[in-house]
Amino acid sequence: MLKIDSHQHFWLYDKARHEWINEDMHQCRRDFVPADLQPLLEQNDIAGCITVQADQTITENEFILNFAQQNSFIKGVVGWIDLKAADVEQRLEQYRDIELMKGFRHVLQGEADDRYMLREDFMRGIGLLDKYGFTYDILIFPKHLKIAAEFVAAFANQRFVVDHLAKPFIKAGDIDQWKKDIQVLAQHQNVSCKVSGMVTEADWNNWKDEDFTPYLDVVFDAFGAERVMYGSDWPVCNVAGGYQKTYKLAEGYVNQLSHNEQELFWAKNAIEFYRLKV
């Protein structure tokens, strides 16, 4: 069965630039490059991956695009662009002909303004993405879900995907409000969801597969098998068990699905969403 990892990162670790990697995440305080990832993908029979920005600069785009151009297992890149910029359309035009550039992401969860995504200038930039064939990854916390529903409703033709299930409070077992809000967001058919980043929202050292089952049940029920995709969130997942345990967690859950549903989850949804060539 063809498999794609729809969410992972590379970086050359810099304490100032990667200040979000705190002391508790010491496993991530080093360089991570394609040579580190490729053996993990091969070990799990994963054919390729999507590399997602970890730094909000144009230099980051060049950095990860260079890796993608040199490593055929990297099937696409989700970069960063200043969507509020007056010349955002010219910038998008520059990336349109770079086949490996599939979409963009902004670290909305890090903005002091919870309603940042509804800013007029930001929404203007979002409104141009579909014209140039680009996707948008939504990186948010549960508190942003109601706002995100309003946000995506304004762009019916734009392809959106929620990263990391919107980071529910798995360690605390808090599910009720997140469940209600994710169900509302999933009613928008142009929104997909990455089954990624879960282990870092659980008890890093003591999580069990069953801790995640209620959350996965909600996501698969809300989005359906046609709008969910696998992502490792490597190397961030290293703080809570690493690639193999993260992969096995997803595999253990989706084994109950039909063969067709598993094919959608492991690769077909990501291929369609990001328009990959594999």
Side-chain angles (χ1 to χ4, degrees):
M1 186 180 297
L2 183 64
K3 296 174 184 175
I4 298 291
D5 181 342
S6 72
H7 198 103
Q8 57 78 211
H9 309 281
F10 297 119
W11 59 70
L12 301 180
Y13 177 68
D14 177 271
K15 187 174 182 179
R17 188 167 66 251
H18 301 110
E19 60 181 349
W20 59 273
I21 306 176
N22 59 37
E23 292 182 5
D24 292 338
M25 302 173 67
H26 60 88
Q27 300 93 331
C28 294
R29 287 187 155 187
R30 66 172 181 85
D31 297 349
F32 289 94
V33 296
D36 299 309
L37 178 62
Q38 188 170 14
L40 300 173
L41 298 182
E42 292 175 351
Q43 181 181 355
N44 294 290
D45 196 28
I46 296 174
C49 63
I50 296 290
T51 297
V52 181
Q53 59 84 219
D55 185 30
Q56 299 196 139
T57 63
I58 297 301
T59 303
E60 173 80 347
N61 295 343
E62 298 169 359
F63 172 67
I64 52 180
L65 278 169
N66 183 56
F67 278 151
Q69 289 159 354
Q70 294 178 1
N71 297 271
S72 61
F73 68 86
I74 303 173
K75 304 301 182 183
V77 162
V78 175
W80 178 86
I81 194 170
D82 184 358
L83 291 163
K84 307 186 309 300
D87 64 345
V88 62
E89 185 155 16
Q90 292 93 311
R91 299 185 187 196
L92 291 171
E93 287 176 349
Q94 292 171 1
Y95 285 113
R96 176 171 53 182
D97 296 328
I98 301 176
E99 189 174 351
L100 285 164
M101 183 63 87
K102 301 301 181 181
F104 297 96
R105 183 177 82 157
H106 184 84
V107 183
L108 291 170
Q109 69 176 32
E111 294 292 344
D113 178 6
D114 288 348
R115 297 177 63 82
Y116 185 95
M117 68 188 87
L118 297 181
R119 287 178 52 143
E120 184 178 351
D121 50 1
F122 188 81
M123 292 184 74
R124 173 182 171 271
I126 291 288
L128 292 167
L129 294 180
D130 183 59
K131 175 180 177 180
Y132 293 95
F134 291 120
T135 62
Y136 186 77
D137 273 52
I138 304 174
L139 179 61
I140 52 174
F141 291 132
K143 67 178 180 178
H144 299 109
L145 280 167
K146 288 186 176 69
I147 303 164
E150 182 179 349
F151 172 63
V152 302
F155 307 101
N157 295 320
Q158 175 60 44
R159 287 169 290 148
F160 292 106
V161 63
V162 178
D163 290 348
H164 314 328
L165 287 70
K167 299 192 171 184
F169 304 113
I170 298 171
K171 183 177 181 179
D174 187 353
I175 194 171
D176 293 345
Q177 189 61 54
W178 168 84
K179 177 180 179 179
K180 293 175 184 177
D181 293 340
I182 205 84
Q183 287 172 335
V184 171
L185 182 61
Q187 291 174 11
H188 298 274
Q189 296 298 308
N190 58 324
V191 183
S192 298
C193 185
K194 289 185 180 180
V195 175
S196 61
M198 296 187 300
V199 295
T200 48
E201 303 309 315
D203 184 332
W204 290 0
N205 299 311
N206 300 293
W207 62 262
K208 305 177 295 296
D209 286 9
E210 52 265 34
D211 296 339
F212 304 94
T213 302
Y215 300 89
L216 289 167
D217 286 347
V218 168
V219 164
F220 276 83
D221 180 65
F223 288 92
E226 301 80 15
R227 290 189 286 142
V228 288
M229 60 186 82
Y230 166 70
S232 67
D233 198 26
W234 179 92
V236 184
C237 66
N238 287 347
V239 305
Y243 199 102
Q244 189 69 11
K245 288 185 70 175
T246 300
Y247 170 79
K248 289 295 184 183
L249 168 62
E251 183 182 52
Y253 183 85
V254 301
N255 277 344
Q256 66 182 308
L257 304 179
S258 70
H259 182 78
N260 178 60
E261 288 171 332
Q262 290 184 52
E263 286 185 322
L264 290 169
F265 170 75
W266 286 118
K268 288 185 176 180
N269 291 338
I271 290 169
E272 180 178 356
F273 182 82
Y274 285 117
R275 297 175 181 169
L276 306 182
K277 290 187 176 180
V278 295

